[in-house]
């Protein structure tokens, strides 16, 4: 019996390391272009969750199986920032990952 080919997931990798992320607005500014977010994107965590989990908002994100965003552990991603905690929770699930790196 022939073996079935294993499907390889395609990943959209957005590397934001080295970019200052002092506010959520800075994060939205940084992901807008590489993720193909439309002008009408809500720039809030609920809209982001819809984009990366429910899909149907960005053709770019939708064309990949998984979205991986890399950020430095600085600004909103350092410490106990409640906005960043909400944003991190949006990445829960099989279709998206947020990777927070220690600054080099």
């Amino acid at each position: 019996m022939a073996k079935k080919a294993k499907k390889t997931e395609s990943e959209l990798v957005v590397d934001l390391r080295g970019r200052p992320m002092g506010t959520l607005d800075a994060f939205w500014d940084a992901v807008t272009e590489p993720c193909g977010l439309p002008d009408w994107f809500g720039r809030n965590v609920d809209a982001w969750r819809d984009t990366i989990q429910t899909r149907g908002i960005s053709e770019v994100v939708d064309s990949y199986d998984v979205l991986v965003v890399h950020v430095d552990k600085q600004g909103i991603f350092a410490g106990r920032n409640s906005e960043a905690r909400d944003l991190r929770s949006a990445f829960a699930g099989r279709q998206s990952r947020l990777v927070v790196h220690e600054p080099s």
Side-chain angles (χ1 to χ4, degrees):
M1 183 184 278
K3 274 184 153 179
K4 288 187 178 181
K6 186 176 180 180
K7 182 180 184 296
T8 303
E9 290 186 334
S10 62
E11 289 186 350
L12 171 59
V13 177
V14 178
D15 193 342
L16 304 177
R17 290 176 285 184
R19 292 187 67 160
M21 295 290 156
T23 64
L24 272 180
D25 280 336
F27 179 79
W28 304 133
D29 290 344
V31 297
T32 293
E33 185 179 334
C35 291
L37 300 178
D39 292 339
W40 50 265
F41 174 74
R43 294 176 66 93
N44 62 63
V45 174
D46 290 332
W48 182 246
R49 185 175 286 111
D50 289 344
T51 302
I52 64 176
Q53 291 182 10
T54 306
R55 305 288 178 114
I57 293 174
S58 164
E59 290 181 14
V60 173
V61 172
D62 292 354
S63 66
Y64 292 88
D65 297 316
V66 179
L67 168 66
V68 181
V69 177
H70 294 268
V71 296
D72 287 327
K73 188 175 183 178
Q74 66 176 3
I76 63 171
F77 296 105
R80 299 178 187 260
N81 183 299
S82 63
E83 290 179 321
R85 184 177 56 245
D86 292 343
L87 180 62
R88 286 178 190 200
S89 73
F91 281 89
R94 192 185 73 71
Q95 294 178 304
S96 59
R97 287 193 309 273
L98 176 67
V99 182
V100 181
H101 298 268
E102 290 293 331
S104 43

